[in-house]
Structures are given as C-alpha cells and as structure tokens.
Amino acid sequence: MQKSSVSRNRDSLILSIAALAIVAVLGGIFLGIPAFQAVILSWKDYRPIQGLLGSPWVGPANYQQLFSSPFFPQVVGNSLILGILGNLLPVLAGGALGFALSRKAAGRKSAAFLACWLLPLFLPEILYAFLAIFGLGVECLTVPGQARLVYLAVSGFRVFCFTVFLSGICGILGKRRGNSAAKASLLGTGAVFALALARALSSSPMLSLFQNPSNYETMDTLDTYIYRIGLMNGEYSFSAATWFTKWLMQLPFLVIGAVLLAVLMKRHRTQLPASSEKSGMAPALAGGVIAVGITLALWIGLLTIRSGSLPADMWMRPLRNSVLGTALAGALFGVIMALFLLSCRQMPTVSMLLGLLLGSFCGNTVATYLFYKQLTLVNTFLGPALWGCWNGVMLFVPLAVAASMLNGQKAPLSRWIRQMLPFFLLFLGLFLTGVWGGWWEEMVLTSDSQRQVLPLLLREWMNSGMAVQYAESGRNLGVANVLLLSSLVPLLIGAASIVLFGFLFPKEETAS
C-alpha cells in the first residue's frame, strides 16, 4: 500500500511538472518572445520596411530620449498613483469584508453567496465608462482631478469585489484545514495584493475610455503613453524602450509580491484538525444580497440610458463576431488553464510564481502587435483570441492559491479535480465575459470593419461625439439595444458560473 502511494505521488509530480513545462513554453512563445523583441527593438531605430533585424542600431538613444523627456516623470507618477495607490485601499477594504463574511460561514450556499461578489466583474469595463459618462456628465472627465477620481472609483470597485470573494472563500477553505479564518483570508487578500504589486506601473485598457487631451495631466500613464507614441505616432523603438523601462521599474514590486505570497502559501501547507465551531451562512447571505443588489442597480442604470436603438444591419455582424471570438478565446484559454491547474496539484507555489512572471509581460502593446503581424494574425479571429487568451494569465494566481488551500497533493487525482472544478468553471466564466467585453486587442489587430465586435461598436459611438450630443441634448441617438446585448449576455454567464460554483463546491473535508 505504501509503495502504491509513493508511486502515485511520483506520477502526480511528473504530471504537474509536464503541465507546468507546457504552460511555460507556450507563455514563453506568446509573451516571452514579444518581450525579448521589445528589448532588441528599444536599441534600434525600427523601420517597418527593413524589419527588426534590418533596422539600424542606435544604442541607448531611445532611453536617453525617454529619460530626458519632460513627460516621463509625470507619466511615472500617474502610473504609480493609479497602479499602487488605486489598488491599496480597495484590497485592504475588500480583504477585511471578505474575512468578516467568512468568519461564521461554511458550506456550498455560503460559497455561492461569496461568489456573488464577482457578479459586478462580469459586466464589461466599457459599460462602466458608459455609466460614468451618462451618470456624471462628460464634463467631469475634462477636469484632471475629477477624471482621476472617477477612474479610481470604477477600477477600485472592481478590485474591491474580487478581493472580497477571494478573501472570503480562502477563509472558508482555511477553516476546513484547521486554520483560523483570519490567516486564511489574509492569503486571499495577499494574492490580490501580489497581483497589484506585479503590475504596479500598469493600467487597465479601461483607462483609455476615460482619457482625453484635457486630463492627460493626471490620466496619462506609461501604458497609454506606450500605445500613443508607438501605434499612433509610429515611434516603435521609443515605445519599446518605454515598455522595457516600465518592466524594469516594476520588477522590484514583482519580487516583493512573489515573496510575500510564497510565504503566505507556505504557512497554509500544514493541515490541522478541522474546527468544530458551528457556522452559519447569514453573513455570507447578507453580503451576497448586497453584491447582487449593486449589480442590478448598475444594470438598471445602463438600461435607463434612453439612447434609442441601432438598426440590425449595424450590430448583427459585430454580434456574430463577438460570439465567435469569445468562443475561440474561451476554448484556447480553457486548455491552457486546465494545464496550469494540473501544475498546481503538486507545485502551487511554483505555478503561482510563473503566473506572476507571465502577468508582468502583459501590456507590451507595440512588440506584441509586431509579433502577431509576423505570424500573419492581423485581421483574423485567431489573433485577438490568442492575445486575449494570454491576458487571462492574471487569473492564474488566484487559481494557484485556491489549489494550495485544497491540499491537492494528498488527494487522489479524480477527487482533487472535482474539488477544483468549481473554481475552474467560475474563472473560465469570468474570462469569457472579459473577452466578450474586450476591445483593446481587436482595436490593435483589426482594421477590417467586417470583423468589428460589439465593444468596438460601442467605443466608436462614444468617441464619435454622439455620446456628447446625447448627454447635452437628450436626443434619441441610438445604442440601447447594443447596451442590452453587451450587458445581458455576460450577466447570464456570470449567474450560471456562480450557480455552478455553489453547486459543485466541495462539501466534504479535503484531507485524505
């Protein structure tokens, strides 16, 4: 019996190593190669006709130009404020609330109610921009200080909701292992904080929806600066130098976050006798009701934007493109996340570190665009699907934390997969709605109007001046039906994901 157990553990370790190696190789191809090309690009004067290898070498000229630019200190400061300070308070507040909700919670129903805090994240980011513009008025975005506060409120709210869920669910899982809810919740909070540190100088593409020339003073970050000077102004090498400088400046934060999270995960490896303290679901129920109420309020706010309807010939093709792109990206990401999940069975800490490293390579807009262009994936459905797929690596870290809490190395493979299945499905649903509402990759890689997706249609409507006209005159100008489609589909996916999460959440003790 003992030999059989040793053999099973050895086979499990080999499976985890193989799965981790595949994810690392694929990540090295689609994230590592563009990062390496960005480094080379930054030392050259890139000319599209001559290509990367044929372009002339200029040495540190691009870096000298960057450090001497009067805009550099400003965009670094804005990046730190929006990247670090914008996440610190939401993470702390979300961690505290998650702990409070999990302290007396247990069971599948409590887990489902905690998962309801993810429901606001199923609403696409572009819809939050619509709510901000029509709820507060477009003039609020013309004042630099006010524009920053609006963006911080929207992005911070999303971080807060995710932290509540992860902190709370870790609290429940931790109590099953005999740990205190406080220590277990701290692990969930630490995971979100480590992600924020790993991307300390990075911003969400949502930021560009709140930007305009009048608020660059407080809203222009390294990421938006990289896109504007690279793809809009054609200064590819200077943009690559800016991205690599940003990555180097982020590296110490990445190391701090990785060490912090590794220490927290190590402290939860030992399984103690489960607590016999009686638990109820009242706190989790109350929190879930609040989260659902907030989501419904946001959705109703969207539906009260009486902006008329677009004719079907304008949105039917984008709708089909959105469905196809989302399905393709979901299938690709499902395979990659399944492989990552297998790597977490025996090596959750190492897998977590890989997830943080791959996540730090995201946002490399110019070099990634050139890489996909080399692969002839511009103006295809596969290109944006692949790009969006690898942006999903940000979900790897919380998945690794959940895997470590479920103590997979001591459970048979089939049982451990059943325990991790609700997390897999929940995060896959979250990824699908992110792709459904995503527009950044489509905007960069797609110039063919026949391949336009719904979020790009909404973005064009916002940027065309029609949104301003509607806000000022109240005229019937048209995207209520597109808003309904853009919000109802992800909310249905979110509701289904949360129900499945609660139904499949492991009921029994995870110790063998």
Side-chain angles (χ1 to χ4, degrees):
M1 180 68 69
Q2 186 176 1
K3 289 183 179 180
S4 176
S5 177
V6 171
S7 177
R8 186 173 65 239
N9 288 337
R10 184 183 65 240
D11 293 342
S12 176
L13 179 60
I14 293 173
L15 179 64
S16 292
I17 293 175
L20 185 68
I22 294 173
V23 175
V25 169
L26 291 174
I29 293 173
F30 290 98
L31 292 173
I33 290 179
F36 178 70
Q37 289 182 333
V39 176
I40 298 176
L41 194 64
S42 68
W43 293 84
K44 292 197 168 193
D45 178 17
Y46 179 76
R47 299 172 185 176
I49 296 179
Q50 296 174 297
L52 180 61
L53 297 179
S55 296
W57 183 272
V58 295
N62 291 306
Y63 293 97
Q64 292 170 352
Q65 180 185 352
L66 175 64
F67 297 140
S68 63
S69 170
F71 300 107
F72 182 65
Q74 178 178 297
V75 295
V76 170
N78 290 340
S79 299
L80 280 171
I81 291 173
L82 298 181
I84 288 291
L85 297 182
N87 287 318
L88 182 59
L89 288 179
V91 168
L92 293 177
L97 180 57
F99 161 64
L101 295 178
S102 70
R103 191 165 176 266
K104 295 293 183 180
R108 291 177 172 176
K109 291 182 180 179
S110 294
F113 290 132
L114 281 170
C116 287
W117 280 97
L118 291 179
L119 202 54
L121 275 73
F122 284 94
L123 277 174
E125 291 181 339
I126 194 170
L127 300 183
Y128 283 89
F130 261 85
L131 283 169
I133 290 174
F134 289 101
L136 302 175
V138 292
E139 64 278 357
C140 75
L141 300 183
T142 62
V143 181
Q146 291 182 11
R148 174 187 280 175
L149 288 176
V150 171
Y151 173 76
L152 285 175
V154 173
S155 63
F157 172 68
R158 293 170 67 87
V159 173
F160 169 79
C161 289
F162 190 82
T163 311
V164 172
F165 163 73
L166 198 59
S167 171
I169 209 68
C170 283
I172 290 179
L173 293 175
K175 289 191 295 183
R176 291 186 175 190
R177 299 175 56 130
N179 295 314
S180 69
K183 291 181 179 179
S185 293
L186 182 61
L187 175 58
T189 305
V192 185
F193 186 63
L195 277 172
L197 287 176
R199 295 179 53 79
L201 294 167
S202 300
S203 56
S204 166
M206 179 176 62
L207 177 63
S208 64
L209 299 173
F210 293 85
Q211 264 190 352
N212 58 69
S214 64
N215 63 29
Y216 280 165
E217 178 186 345
T218 60
M219 299 287 279
D220 199 17
T221 64
L222 286 166
D223 281 340
T224 57
Y225 188 60
I226 287 167
Y227 168 75
R228 190 170 64 254
I229 63 176
L231 293 185
M232 295 183 68
N233 296 349
E235 300 181 47
Y236 295 98
S237 293
F238 181 61
S239 177
T242 306
W243 177 82
F244 187 57
T245 300
K246 184 199 81 167
W247 188 83
L248 289 176
M249 295 173 66
Q250 246 176 199
L251 191 56
F253 295 100
L254 169 65
V255 173
I256 293 172
V259 171
L260 171 66
L261 189 51
V263 170
L264 290 174
M265 291 175 70
K266 183 178 180 180
R267 290 182 177 179
H268 287 271
R269 286 179 184 172
T270 303
Q271 184 161 349
L272 305 172
S275 173
S276 60
E277 180 183 3
K278 292 184 178 181
S279 299
M281 67 175 183
L285 172 61
V289 169
I290 293 173
V292 172
I294 292 173
T295 306
L296 290 177
L298 292 172
W299 189 52
I300 292 171
L302 278 170
L303 299 185
T304 58
I305 299 176
R306 300 178 181 275
S307 51
S309 300
L310 286 180
D313 60 344
M314 292 185 66
W315 59 265
M316 281 300 295
R317 187 184 296 275
L319 174 62
R320 290 195 295 268
N321 293 341
S322 290
V323 172
L324 178 58
T326 301
L328 182 58
L332 293 171
F333 185 71
V335 173
I336 294 172
M337 187 164 65
L339 289 169
F340 181 82
L341 185 61
L342 287 176
S343 75
C344 294
R345 175 168 159 77
Q346 289 281 7
M347 301 181 297
T349 302
V350 176
S351 300
M352 175 275 296
L353 294 174
L354 176 63
L356 281 178
L357 178 62
L358 293 178
S360 71
F361 290 142
C362 294
N364 184 13
T365 304
V366 171
T368 304
Y369 163 74
L370 293 176
F371 176 69
Y372 279 76
K373 188 177 180 181
Q374 292 168 351
L375 297 177
T376 65
L377 293 177
V378 174
N379 286 323
T380 67
F381 287 110
L382 182 57
L386 277 171
W387 194 334
C389 176
W390 286 103
N391 283 338
V393 299
M394 304 309 297
L395 292 170
F396 284 179
V397 172
L399 190 64
V401 167
S404 70
M405 296 297 292
L406 284 169
N407 205 24
Q409 69 271 21
K410 292 185 178 181
L413 178 61
S414 58
R415 181 185 178 194
W416 185 77
I417 289 176
R418 288 197 301 270
Q419 292 168 347
M420 288 303 303
L421 184 60
F423 290 93
F424 176 86
L425 295 176
L426 183 64
F427 288 166
L428 181 60
L430 199 59
F431 171 80
L432 287 173
T433 56
V435 174
W436 172 266
W439 52 271
W440 184 261
E441 301 83 11
E442 299 281 353
M443 182 185 69
V444 174
L445 291 179
T446 305
S447 58
D448 183 359
S449 60
Q450 298 299 308
R451 299 188 184 277
Q452 188 182 50
V453 292
L454 283 178
L456 271 182
L457 187 64
L458 289 174
R459 184 178 180 276
E460 286 185 2
W461 189 83
M462 292 175 66
N463 293 341
S464 66
M466 296 173 69
V468 177
Q469 287 182 331
Y470 168 72
E472 293 178 349
S473 65
R475 289 191 299 165
N476 198 34
L477 294 176
V479 287
N481 51 351
V482 179
L483 284 174
L484 180 61
L485 279 171
S486 300
S487 60
L488 186 58
V489 170
L491 284 181
L492 290 175
I493 293 175
S497 300
I498 291 170
V499 169
L500 285 173
F501 180 80
F503 180 75
L504 296 173
F505 191 77
K507 185 178 180 180
E508 71 280 359
E509 290 296 327
T510 60
S512 56

